[in-house]
Amino acid sequence: MVRLRDVYEGLVRREIRQGQQAGAIRTDIRPKYLALALLSLLNWSIFWYQPRAGLGPGDLADVLAQVFLEGSATGRR
């Protein structure tokens, strides 16, 4: 299981690295930490997500992608 986890995390890191090289993902945070943040965001949703609560799977995917890629701040301080 640990080996499979490491392989999966490596795939996520590689995609993040490619996104950084393409200019689509910020480069001031190492891919390792962006991957861990993304996996944490995704892995914990199984504990609170309830499809019958009004948020469909596609909507959940949109929310998680927006939070990961754009953050949650409004830009105001």
Side-chain angles (χ1 to χ4, degrees):
M1 291 303 286
V2 171
R3 186 184 67 77
L4 291 174
R5 180 207 61 200
D6 292 345
V7 169
Y8 182 67
E9 185 180 321
L11 292 171
V12 173
R13 282 188 198 185
R14 184 169 50 246
E15 291 300 316
I16 288 173
R17 218 175 287 113
Q18 289 176 354
Q20 287 177 323
Q21 291 169 353
I25 297 177
R26 61 189 298 164
T27 58
D28 61 324
I29 300 174
R30 290 175 41 197
K32 172 184 178 176
Y33 299 118
L34 286 174
L36 290 172
L38 175 60
L39 292 171
S40 294
L41 178 75
L42 297 175
N43 289 338
W44 279 96
S45 63
I46 64 168
F47 294 106
W48 58 263
Y49 176 67
Q50 297 178 5
R52 295 188 182 130
L55 187 67
D59 297 323
L60 175 63
D62 289 342
V63 167
L64 296 177
Q66 286 178 346
V67 168
F68 181 72
L69 294 171
E70 300 171 18
S72 61
T74 63
R76 295 180 294 189
R77 295 197 183 250

